[in-house]
């Protein structure tokens, strides 16, 4: 059974968890840091604005304030703008603005009527409605306490922050609703009849904006670093797991050669060691089984040889018309078949290491035609050989490859319908030679495709089921690959790719040997 594991799952989960936790932390701390710093900055700005307002108020005597409030109330704005008192007040706040770098400074009465302003868009004598948004601050100011507003933004994103200081006067008409002041340095009968407001300079806002941008950049950088660190972290932690999965997949493919190497001092390491023990156990059992099988096959092969010899002797002693001769012929045929199976068992049970050498594939393929002539003729089959019109040289164990191709072609013959064609094609592609054995026979059921390379899997009454498992191990031992494609009821094509022997073949040609002859004796080069 093929396991389809989502191999990145744990890594992805770890990464997601790590990154989301760190992101949450970075975002939260960024937010808290931003809020804390801006509120501190806000408080500092407020206190600075307030001290500018308090400083400004000392320039305005009770008489001046009285005069300003009265004339703004009694005469028209146009006339008021011409007054000396107004000019002197404007001069004072302009000087204050220049020394404090405030955005604007205004003085206004309890009706929010502008008495003087450094903002040229505000006409003196007229009410400045925006001041209404500072209601709580103004209530405190007209009660005699200097007050700074909080920072706020309007819909257009413009930021406002101001501070206000009370201005005292004695004008009874202006102070009708005002409570008497308790401030010691002002005459007791004086009350707050106007106020001085200082607006925040945009430069401070720039600092805030820049601070916001810096915080966002640092937060984003923090998240990026978290993702990077998370990747490295998840990779390091899951590497032993990935190695373990790779080992399990190798074992699942039947490749028990490579040891399970997981160096990790935790549970994963323990699992790796357990898997390695398991692998060695399977190898030991496999070896034991093969030895047993080889012993049995060997014991059977010898008497079979004797039976064959004596049956042949007996047959030869009988005359042609003796009907017992036919019986003996059948015995000899069956014994021959048994011997083939026993030989397969032996090859499977005692695999030998390949001895790679450059050899001519064309010569091997010609041998096949000769070896399979009887089986081909019996089913009236045509063997089509197509080597692309050239001599192909392979670097592998020639005898083993011949055995593999023999098995594949024999299977193809067995699967073919009488009178059909078996195709054997080979082509060179880069450093590989690809050989395809194709038949137009029964095909392989999709459910069987994953099983056909397993030892002892057969759908034939008389087969041992060892042919393809031998083919597969031969191809893999010779650094090749094998693949199969089949359309049930139509065709089956086995293709194997083997290392090409270009260098050796070239040397061989230059030595003047005839093409097609085996290249044994030449050293490997591919
Ligand atoms: N060309 C083919 N067309 C259809 N089925 C095939 C073909 N080649 C192999 N098979 C299927 O794969 C199975 C295994 O093949 P394999 O050669 O290993 O064993 P076998 O031919 O049954 O027996 P053995 O080769 O040991 O005599 C076959 O029994 C058959 O079902
Ligand atoms: Mg077979």
């Amino acid at each position: 059974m093929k396991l389809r594991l989502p191999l990145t799952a744990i890594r992805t989960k770890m990464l997601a968890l790590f990154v989301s936790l760190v992101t949450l932390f970075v975002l939260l701390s960024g937010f808290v840091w931003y809020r804390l710093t801006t509120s501190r900055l806000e408080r500092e700005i407020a206190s600075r604005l307030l001290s500018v307002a308090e400083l400004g108020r000392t320039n305005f005597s009770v008489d001046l304030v009285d005069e300003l409030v009265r004339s703004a109330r009694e005469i028209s704005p146009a006339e008021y703008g011409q007054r000396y008192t107004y000019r002197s007040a404007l001069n004072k706040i302009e000087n204050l603005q220049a020394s404090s770098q405030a955005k604007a400074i205004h003085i206004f009465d309890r009706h929010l009527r502008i008495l003087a302003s450094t903002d040229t868009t505000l006409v003196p004598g007229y009410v400045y409605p925006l001041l209404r948004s500072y209601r709580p601050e103004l209530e405190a100011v007209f009660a005699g306490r200097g007050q700074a507003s909080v920072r706020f933004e309007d819909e257009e994103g413009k930021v406002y922050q101001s501070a206000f200081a009370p201005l005292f006067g004695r004008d009874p008409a202006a102070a009708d609703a005002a409570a008497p002041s308790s401030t010691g340095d002002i005459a007791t009968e004086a009350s707050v009849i106007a106020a001085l407001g200082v607006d925040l300079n945009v430069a401070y806002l720039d600092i805030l904006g820049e601070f916001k941008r810096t915080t966002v950049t640092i937060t984003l950088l923090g998240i990026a670093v978290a993702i990077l660190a998370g990747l490295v972290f998840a990779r390091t932690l899951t590497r032993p797991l990935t190695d373990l999965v790779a080992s399990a997949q190798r074992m699942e493919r039947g490749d028990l050669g490579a040891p399970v190497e997981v160096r990790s001092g935790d549970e994963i390491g323990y699992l790796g060691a357990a898997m390695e023990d398991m692998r060695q156990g399977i190898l030991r059992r496999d070896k034991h089984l093969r030895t047993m099988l080889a012993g049995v096959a060997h014991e059977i092969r010898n008497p079979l040889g004797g039976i064959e010899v004596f049956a042949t002797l007996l047959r030869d002693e009988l005359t042609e018309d003796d009907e017992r001769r036919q019986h003996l012929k059948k015995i000899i045929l069956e014994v021959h078949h048994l011997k083939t199976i026993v030989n397969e068992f032996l090859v499977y049970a005692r695999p030998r290491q390949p001895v790679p050498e450059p050899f001519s594939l064309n010569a091997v393929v010609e041998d096949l035609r000769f070896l399979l002539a009887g089986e081909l003729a019996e089913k009236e089959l045509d063997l089509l050989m197509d080597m692309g019109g050239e001599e192909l040289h392979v670097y592998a164990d020639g005898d083993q490859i011949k055995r593999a191709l023999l098995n594949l072609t024999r299977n193809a013959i067995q699967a073919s319908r009488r009178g059909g064609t078996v195709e054997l094609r080979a082509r060179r592609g880069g450093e590989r030679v690809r050989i395809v054995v194709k038949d137009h026979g029964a095909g392989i059921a999709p459910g069987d495709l994953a099983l056909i390379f397993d030892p002892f899997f057969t759908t034939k009454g008389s087969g041992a089921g060892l042919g393809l498992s031998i083919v597969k191990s031969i191809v893999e031992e010779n650094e090749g690959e094998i693949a199969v494609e089949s359309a049930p009821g139509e065709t089956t094509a086995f293709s194997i790719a083997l290392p090409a022997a270009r260098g050796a073949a070239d040397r061989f040609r230059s030595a003047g040997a005839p093409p097609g002859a085996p290249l044994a004796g030449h050293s490997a080069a591919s």
Side-chain angles (χ1 to χ4, degrees):
M1 189 187 79
K2 283 264 175 288
L3 288 172
R4 287 273 159 265
L5 284 178
L7 293 185
T8 45
I10 288 189
R11 189 181 294 175
T12 316
K13 277 183 207 160
M14 280 172 75
L15 187 67
L17 187 72
F18 181 79
V19 170
S20 45
L21 277 178
V22 173
T23 306
L24 195 72
F25 177 75
V26 169
L27 280 179
L28 258 176
S29 46
F31 179 74
V32 170
W33 155 256
Y34 178 75
R35 292 305 302 215
L36 281 179
T37 315
T38 46
S39 72
R40 222 180 107 186
L41 204 70
E42 242 169 60
R43 278 201 306 279
E44 236 154 69
I45 291 172
S47 95
R48 209 188 124 88
L49 281 176
L50 198 59
S51 45
V52 173
E54 293 289 347
L55 182 76
R57 136 193 166 164
T58 57
N59 291 326
F60 290 87
S61 66
V62 171
D63 291 338
L64 179 55
V65 175
D66 267 346
E67 177 63 20
L68 282 168
V69 172
R70 193 177 320 108
S71 38
R73 187 176 66 234
E74 287 169 1
I75 60 177
S76 72
E79 232 181 302
Y80 175 76
Q82 305 301 320
R83 279 288 170 95
Y84 171 77
T85 18
Y86 162 71
R87 296 219 161 269
S88 132
L90 183 63
N91 194 25
K92 284 178 198 291
I93 57 175
E94 274 172 352
N95 286 341
L96 184 64
Q97 188 203 17
S99 62
S100 68
Q101 294 181 331
K103 181 184 167 200
I105 297 177
H106 338 273
I107 44 178
F108 50 91
D109 66 10
R110 299 181 75 92
H111 305 286
L112 310 184
R113 191 184 287 131
I114 291 292
L115 303 176
S117 172
T118 58
D119 182 349
T120 47
T121 60
L122 301 179
V123 185
Y126 285 100
V127 167
Y128 180 25
L130 193 77
L131 286 170
R132 291 206 182 97
S133 36
Y134 294 104
R135 201 185 152 86
E137 289 85 358
L138 293 184
E139 270 171 16
V141 168
F142 285 112
R145 296 185 304 276
Q147 187 80 27
S149 77
V150 290
R151 195 168 56 90
F152 69 93
E153 268 178 48
D154 67 7
E155 296 97 56
E156 292 164 27
K158 274 195 204 150
V159 181
Y160 300 88
Q161 189 171 8
S162 305
F164 303 94
L167 293 178
F168 291 85
R170 286 194 210 87
D171 181 10
D176 42 14
S181 165
S182 57
T183 317
D185 59 343
I186 305 290
T188 42
E189 65 274 26
S191 59
V192 186
I193 58 169
L196 182 143
V198 182
D199 289 349
L200 177 65
N201 190 330
V202 259
Y204 288 107
L205 300 178
D206 284 350
I207 293 173
L208 275 177
E210 201 169 299
F211 179 68
K212 196 174 183 173
R213 279 193 295 278
T214 313
T215 312
V216 170
T217 313
I218 289 176
T219 309
L220 290 180
L221 263 177
I223 293 171
V225 169
I227 291 175
L228 261 179
L231 269 173
V232 175
F233 177 66
R235 231 188 141 81
T236 320
L237 270 184
T238 55
R239 169 146 306 152
L241 263 185
T242 322
D243 290 350
L244 211 60
V245 170
S247 294
Q249 283 177 332
R250 268 203 311 274
M251 284 201 206
E252 192 216 344
R253 285 196 306 266
D255 173 8
L256 293 165
V260 182
E261 281 179 41
V262 178
R263 274 179 231 100
S264 159
D266 49 21
E267 290 89 337
I268 301 173
Y270 178 80
L271 203 61
M275 266 176 71
E276 173 59 13
D277 283 352
M278 196 171 80
R279 184 190 73 90
Q280 288 183 4
I282 297 174
L283 276 180
R284 273 197 301 277
R285 213 186 55 183
D286 200 42
K287 199 174 165 202
H288 186 67
L289 276 177
R290 281 174 193 253
T291 315
M292 249 173 60
L293 205 58
V296 173
H298 199 77
E299 288 302 313
I300 295 175
R301 194 165 63 163
N302 289 342
L304 276 183
I307 295 172
E308 195 179 24
V309 170
F310 289 114
T312 314
L313 281 177
L314 258 181
R315 186 195 62 186
D316 292 348
E317 279 175 16
L318 295 174
T319 52
E320 282 291 341
D321 51 354
D322 194 328
E323 68 167 23
R324 285 172 297 172
R325 212 183 146 90
Q326 289 307 315
H327 298 156
L328 282 168
K329 243 183 165 173
K330 271 194 187 134
I331 293 176
I332 295 168
L333 216 82
E334 292 296 334
V335 168
H336 185 76
H337 178 62
L338 268 178
K339 264 176 71 184
T340 317
I341 292 185
V342 167
N343 279 336
E344 291 270 274
F345 266 86
L346 275 173
V347 172
Y348 170 74
R350 283 196 202 132
R352 69 170 176 81
Q353 282 299 305
V355 183
E357 276 174 340
F359 69 88
S360 159
L361 187 65
N362 301 48
V364 166
V365 166
E366 269 314 319
D367 278 359
L368 286 187
R369 188 193 283 288
F370 174 73
L371 289 169
L372 293 167
E375 287 158 68
L376 285 165
E378 200 182 310
K379 285 187 90 172
E380 295 163 23
L381 291 170
D382 207 12
L383 180 62
L384 185 115
M385 290 174 168
D386 170 13
M387 312 296 283
E390 60 171 324
E391 188 79 16
L392 297 171
H393 296 99
V394 170
Y395 181 71
D397 186 316
D399 285 342
Q400 289 189 341
I401 299 304
K402 191 197 277 184
R403 176 177 286 277
L405 289 177
L406 197 66
N407 273 334
L408 290 180
T409 319
R410 188 168 274 144
N411 277 349
I413 291 172
Q414 288 167 357
S416 292
R417 283 178 278 273
R418 180 168 290 278
T421 308
V422 170
E423 295 161 32
L424 208 155
R425 299 177 198 277
R427 290 286 184 280
R428 183 181 172 134
E431 297 298 301
R432 308 296 265 179
V433 171
R434 192 161 165 264
I435 310 159
V436 177
V437 180
K438 184 173 180 181
D439 66 69
H440 302 271
I444 303 172
D448 287 349
L449 269 180
L451 305 170
I452 55 171
F453 293 106
D454 291 352
F456 308 112
F457 175 82
T458 182
T459 56
K460 299 170 192 168
S462 60
L466 285 173
L468 285 181
S469 92
I470 292 173
V471 172
K472 185 166 184 260
S473 57
I474 287 179
V475 170
E476 284 172 358
E477 288 278 308
N478 282 278
E479 321 257 302
E481 300 94 40
I482 183 162
V484 57
E485 273 177 36
S486 182
E490 289 177 32
T491 57
T492 302
F494 282 88
S495 74
I496 60 181
L498 291 164
R502 173 183 278 168
D506 292 348
R507 274 205 302 283
F508 169 76
R509 280 207 194 97
S510 61
L519 301 179
H522 288 260
S523 63
S526 53

